[in-house]
Amino acid sequence: ENVLSQIRSFECSQKHAVLVPVAALGVGGMLVYWLRSRNKIKTLEMGNGWWGSGERPLKGKEDESIRPFKIETSDKEIEDLHWRLDRFRYTPHLEGAAFHYGFNSSYLQKVVAYWRNQFDWRKQVEVLNKYPHYHTTIEGIDIHFIHVKPPYVPHGRAVQPLLMVHGWPGSFYEFYKIIPLLTEPARHGLTEGDVVFEVICPSIPGYGFSEAPHQKGFDSIAAARIFHKLMNRLGFREYYVQGGDWGSRICTNMAQMLPQSVKGLHVNLVFVNKQGLGRLISIMLGAYAPWLVGLSREDARRIYPFMQKNVYDIIRESGYLHIQGTKPDTAGCGLNDSPVGLAAYILEKFSTWTDKSFLHKDDGGLESKYSLDELLTNVMIYWVTSSIVPSMRFYKENFSKDPDLTLHNRVAVHVPTGIAAYPQEIVHTPRAWAKDVYKNIITYSYMPRGGHFAAFEEPKLLAQDIMQFVRKVEQL
């Protein structure tokens, strides 16, 4: 019995000798897994989509060819436009109204007269075609883009691919003045040591020469996925992305979706709308002691008086947003049928979104920043493609899923980020607030002048800021 008890005691001690390290390994493994999962970067699900007409084909691979595309016009197209312009029904404006009621109808008469008698669409088509255009089919629809490579690359200098995404009511044409600054910086007086870019500017599906989605649900995540596929199809594995307005949202989604592909994100509008006690305290204290809540004096100057700049001004400027976020097709019918109505609707945004003080000018200050040829070319891109309605639907598709545009902010942006804050932007987001979402801000610039349409209005300022940002990212 004594021998048997010794044997049992030995067996028990052997079991403990095995169980203890096994248990330790198990607990250690769980701890390592917890720590790794805790530090793992959360990303947006990439998913997949089909936006073509009808059901997705069960068999057959999508045509992935890159096809050259050229913008064309015709006598019939121009004659139809002139016929409609000649029948413009004019409503007298209210005396002293300036742009407070929307587009001043007296100034609109001048714009229409120029459009009818002096604007040369054929010449502007030539201007549009000066850069190479392409089409490629992604997820069932034709995606339009321009792709501009630098004509000369100094020895030893790397060429950085840069995707630039427009917003509403803009188009790829917004980037025509900044493209040569980015592809040929030395020739345009920018520092010789700057990086050189090859620039890709797509049209958001439903805008301009990109086919409109035929199915419901096309939002900024779908656009982000399509643009990743576009860049991969062009042979890029890593690239920079830049945008304002919807372009900012789409590019941010691209960084949240595939951070390993986005070398850097540069935006000139930040969608951050955090609510809660902390933000309320920040707003209240910021008016008296901005430094106490991480705000600079310039932040305070741009934010306050808070109710005026962040409530009343936004309510005044966002009527279109409610229409487009709910029933875009109804208002879109009139805009798609009337070139004058379309011009008034679009160009009014180029007035007050460029400079809030233009509200008080009879001509909306439009020609102080842009030429009528530039403004009408952008309008014509919407007109000849009948794209105003699908461009407006983009609001409904996004707002129906995310009413205050904050849902995606739960996924932080960890890629290097540059922010250009323009003083006349519709809303100002301080760096301290932007950090709630953008966790790796490399540059944050208080731009000296400019508004919502940065590339169109102040191309040199934006180009310099993009270059400064990319240079710092490349040095990391």
Side-chain angles (χ1 to χ4, degrees):
E1 285 181 2
N2 189 32
V3 170
L4 287 171
S5 66
Q6 285 182 355
I7 291 170
R8 288 193 193 100
S9 175
F10 176 75
E11 287 175 345
C12 186
S13 64
Q14 287 290 90
K15 285 180 182 177
H16 283 298
V18 173
L19 287 172
V20 168
V22 167
L25 279 170
V27 171
M30 289 174 66
L31 183 62
V32 169
Y33 175 80
W34 179 75
L35 287 169
R36 288 188 66 181
S37 62
R38 194 171 159 221
N39 293 326
K40 188 178 179 182
I41 294 175
K42 188 178 179 183
T43 59
L44 284 179
E45 190 70 35
M46 186 163 181
N48 207 349
W50 169 259
W51 309 106
S53 183
E55 297 290 326
R56 183 200 297 264
L58 295 176
K59 294 182 179 180
K61 194 177 180 184
E62 189 166 72
D63 178 9
E64 295 186 356
S65 64
I66 307 291
R67 305 177 295 276
F69 171 74
K70 190 174 182 180
I71 299 171
E72 295 178 341
T73 188
S74 65
D75 290 341
K76 184 179 179 182
E77 184 174 75
I78 295 170
E79 287 166 6
D80 176 71
L81 171 69
H82 288 173
W83 184 88
R84 293 169 187 265
L85 293 177
D86 287 337
R87 282 153 184 79
F88 163 44
R89 293 202 303 172
Y90 166 73
T91 304
H93 74 279
L94 294 171
E95 293 180 10
F99 263 57
H100 286 272
Y101 284 71
F103 206 106
N104 184 291
S105 57
S106 291
Y107 178 62
L108 185 58
Q109 283 185 302
K110 178 189 172 183
V111 173
V112 172
Y114 181 88
W115 198 359
R116 173 63 177 85
N117 301 312
Q118 293 172 262
F119 179 76
D120 187 343
W121 175 232
R122 290 187 185 280
K123 178 183 175 184
Q124 294 308 116
V125 165
E126 290 179 12
V127 171
L128 291 174
N129 282 325
K130 75 176 181 177
Y131 295 129
H133 294 249
Y134 302 91
H135 267 157
T136 190
T137 307
I138 304 177
E139 298 189 3
I141 53 176
D142 284 347
I143 305 302
H144 162 260
F145 63 98
I146 57 174
H147 186 180
V148 187
K149 298 180 181 181
Y152 167 73
V153 181
H155 180 70
R157 187 173 302 176
V159 177
Q160 301 294 343
L162 173 64
L163 180 84
M164 303 190 79
V165 185
H166 65 88
W168 187 92
S171 65
F172 67 92
Y173 177 60
E174 286 181 67
F175 302 114
Y176 268 49
K177 289 186 281 189
I178 198 173
I179 286 172
L181 306 182
L182 296 170
T183 56
E184 302 177 84
R187 185 179 171 189
H188 294 88
L190 297 177
T191 310
E192 184 65 36
D194 284 328
V195 290
V196 176
F197 297 92
E198 61 177 292
V199 181
I200 300 91
C201 299
S203 295
I204 299 171
Y207 289 68
F209 299 98
S210 276
E211 186 177 353
H214 298 269
Q215 312 293 332
K216 294 188 294 183
F218 188 89
D219 60 4
S220 62
I221 291 181
R225 181 178 64 244
I226 279 179
F227 290 161
H228 271 309
K229 290 181 177 182
L230 170 64
M231 294 301 279
N232 288 335
R233 192 169 291 183
L234 291 173
F236 301 115
R237 293 293 170 263
E238 288 186 315
Y239 34 88
Y240 288 91
V241 296
Q242 197 285 328
D245 195 84
W246 280 126
S248 169
R249 168 87 163 189
I250 292 168
C251 290
T252 295
N253 289 162
M254 291 179 75
Q256 293 166 319
M257 188 179 287
L258 291 177
Q260 68 273 23
S261 294
V262 179
K263 291 182 76 176
L265 164 69
H266 188 281
V267 295
N268 50 278
L269 176 65
V270 174
F271 288 95
V272 173
N273 187 26
K274 186 178 179 181
Q275 298 171 350
L277 183 60
R279 180 55 52 84
L280 182 62
I281 292 171
S282 176
I283 291 168
M284 292 174 67
L285 291 179
Y288 305 100
W291 51 270
L292 200 59
V293 288
L295 303 183
S296 69
R297 287 187 176 183
E298 183 61 21
D299 288 327
R301 193 180 70 79
R302 295 186 183 191
I303 291 172
Y304 302 101
F306 188 83
M307 289 300 290
Q308 179 63 50
K309 293 186 175 181
N310 296 274
V311 179
Y312 303 142
D313 286 356
I314 290 175
I315 289 173
R316 184 193 67 219
E317 294 298 328
S318 61
Y320 80 98
L321 189 148
H322 189 74
I323 292 171
Q324 296 178 191
T326 53
K327 296 184 178 181
D329 286 30
T330 305
C333 287
L335 300 177
N336 193 47
D337 190 58
S338 167
V340 179
L342 180 68
Y345 196 72
I346 288 177
L347 296 187
E348 183 244 307
K349 306 308 177 193
F350 280 86
S351 169
T352 48
W353 292 4
T354 296
D355 191 316
K356 299 175 184 73
S357 70
F358 287 173
L359 193 71
H360 310 297
K361 295 176 177 283
D362 289 340
D363 63 356
L366 283 167
E367 292 177 75
S368 63
K369 288 286 185 175
Y370 316 100
S371 71
L372 284 180
D373 279 346
E374 290 171 343
L375 293 169
L376 290 171
T377 296
N378 183 65
V379 172
M380 285 294 291
I381 290 169
Y382 282 86
W383 176 253
V384 300
T385 58
S386 293
S387 58
I388 188 61
V389 176
S391 78
M392 293 163 70
R393 287 177 186 155
F394 197 57
Y395 284 77
K396 181 172 178 65
E397 303 295 12
N398 282 285
F399 281 101
S400 61
K401 299 174 186 175
D402 186 9
D404 59 358
L405 296 184
T406 58
L407 189 62
H408 301 168
N409 290 348
R410 296 174 190 173
V411 178
V413 176
H414 293 278
V415 306
T417 301
I419 298 172
Y422 284 81
Q424 290 295 332
E425 184 55 270
I426 301 165
V427 64
H428 175 69
T429 303
R431 182 177 189 144
W433 297 359
K435 285 194 297 185
D436 291 338
V437 176
Y438 301 90
K439 303 299 184 182
N440 189 11
I441 299 174
I442 304 298
T443 61
Y444 183 100
S445 307
Y446 296 98
M447 307 305 277
R449 62 187 179 276
H452 188 71
F453 304 98
F456 204 37
E457 181 190 344
E458 295 288 350
K460 192 166 187 177
L461 282 180
L462 182 60
Q464 289 171 328
D465 199 69
I466 293 169
M467 288 177 171
Q468 176 196 9
F469 163 67
V470 171
R471 196 186 303 116
K472 287 190 175 182
V473 174
E474 291 297 314
Q475 291 169 356
L476 292 177

